[in-house]
Amino acid sequence: MREHHLIGGRRSFALHALLGCTSLNLLPMSALAQDAATPYRLSPIIVTGAVAVDDDAQSVVAQELWVGGKVATSILDTPASVSVVTAQEIEARNADTLETVLQYTPGIHTDFYGSDDRNDYVLMRGFQATSYREGMTLGSMRGVREDPFAYARVEAIRGANSTLFGVSDPGGSINFVTKTPRFERFGDAYLTAGSNDHAEVGIDFGDILDDEATLAYRLTAKAQDSGLDYATSRDDSTFLMGGLTWSPSDATELTVTFDRLTRDGTPNSGGYPMDRQYDRSDFFGEPDYNDHAVDRSTLSAFLRHEFANGLNLRANLRYSDLTDDFGYAYIVDPGTGTGTVFDRAFFGTDRTAQELIGNVMVQYDAQFGAIDSSTLAGIEFRDAQTESASYYTAAPAIDVADSVYSGAPVGLTPYATADEDYTTKSLFVQQNLSFDDRFIATVGLRRDWLELASVGDSFGVPSDLQDDFAETSWRGALTYKINEGLSTYASYVQSVAPPEFGVSPERGHQYEVGVKYQPAGTTALISAAAFDLEKNNITVPVVQADGSITRELVGKTRARGFEIEGKAELSNNLSIIGGYSYVDAEVERAVVRGTDVSGQAFANVPRHTASLWMSYAVPESGNLGAQTFGIGARYLGDYYFGLPNADKAEAAILVDAAYTYAFDAATEVALNVSNLFDEQHVVGSGTANYYNPARNVAVTLRRSW
């Protein structure tokens, strides 16, 4: 077994999620109904009402970041390296997991435990990424694989930023933006069939409910019955979400959504022995024990009210309830064995969690001559409880040349239990000042209070722990708008990682400079950023000689590098998405397992990554309908699997392709192929090897209205 790099963090009871985060304010469609001469504020710059909110269903190029500045903010004016994957891009690439959604985003490494299907694995700039939904931390819900069909877009904000998001890891933030009702009639339904007996059906529709157009609804649903690359596997899921939006006037809007996500899978976390390359259809777990069951329900509410004279109020609340149980038999291969018989172990965890998180924010916008001012202040809170029981025992060895399954273990008792409580409260303030629509100064300050409590036992030793922390973080940035389509920025931000009992939170900071370019008269955005990110007093997972995993202190780590990203719709026919990142992530001071690893590289962090996706549309002609051809390539440089640096993943290029044929304006069929040439390589290694996913083919019939 090995330590998990879940999106959001460590698997210890001091979860990465000890704090709620910022709110998301979705600018309502009603706000666009103003006269074009009437100004409204798109913080931190005053613009005119003629500016339109992003249409993520029609474009791969986003113009706004909905959470980065706490309100809808022009990406061009945001002093941070950000990427937005729109609904159009998600659909075009048939991205059905967070890992596939982000795999064309620079600075991000995903899916480095490919055949471990329980979680999404994401690193940003060499460090963990922390995940959010509507700008509020997913916290205790973070171990669940999100379904991209639930979201209108996925936003990636690279680099440390606890001032905006609260206690979080320094690599960056992933924000999911939920599909909410729209004040129009719309609908989309599809059927998908593909590799591994994959069958899927989904629908997303909504409409206005009253003659006054003050009430709208939306219903989103999906059901999937599928297998995975390996034998005896399941990858089944259902998702149902309903939402209501009440907007009695342009100044007031209340949205309530409820969703339920269930998953029934067969985790292949056991991986494959290290002696040679195996067929990905091989399965060395236990069909009667390898199982992962998730059931999560979420109720959310978002309130916005605009007072007169530039004063705005937003309040957001979310309650989630989760059951997350898994068990698997996994290979224990120290890498020195011979023959075909390998040891195994049983491991599993049963977990329940309940979480209430919310915030209230007030924003005041004003103009003082040539100076535009936007002041944001708010409070946030989070109250979460989790109960868990973990199981571990030796499992019968397996002969990989003639696999005979032994069945599930009998009479397992937990080696560890924990009942945990997390309470956080936060105060924050942020000030934006724009001078002559050229210089934008941003300063933020945040104070977080965290209380932790845990009652349980580990290997028969009872524990009753309590601790509390108070942490302050700040950020500062300066943006210079050279002209309407070109801006530069410099920023300093701090991070405060979630603490553990008796250990002060790990702190980090980042310096960043960047440039963004939006050519006039085009739908395009090109950005580049260079960064220096540091984190002190962290711990990392280390595989010991006996196959066990312990966490060892690493004194100081640093990641330096740069990213370049471009997204453009060059004409009605051609769109391009491209990116490159260079990350030099190394340990500056540490001793691991008695070995000085100073100067060695982080685990699972390729120094070079690059990607390119091109889509070309051919209009309908005569009896032939419109066609769209898509082709993409992803390059991953080599990287080490752990500390001390020893074995490494080799560099690889993977190719993806897509083709869409439109029968008419509302009906189309799409063919998507990921890993077109079925390239196979080891992407992760601990007590076993883990391969990248095999070639996957999916055919989708879609009808829109």
Side-chain angles (χ1 to χ4, degrees), residues 241-269:
M241 179 169 66
L244 286 173
T245 294
W246 177 57
S247 183
S249 69
D250 290 346
T252 304
E253 185 172 273
L254 173 65
T255 296
V256 178
T257 65
F258 174 80
D259 62 85
R260 185 184 181 199
L261 172 68
T262 65
R263 292 191 178 277
D264 181 16
T266 307
N268 190 22
S269 302

Side-chain angles (χ1 to χ4, degrees), residues 18 75 101 132 148 158 163 239 274 283 323 334 390 436 472 498 500 521 548 582 646 676:
L18 297 181
I75 293 178
V101 167
Y132 303 85
R158 287 175 283 268
T163 309
F239 179 78
M274 303 177 185
F283 179 69
T323 300
S390 297
D436 293 318
T472 301
E500 299 183 29
S548 64
Y582 169 84
L676 180 64

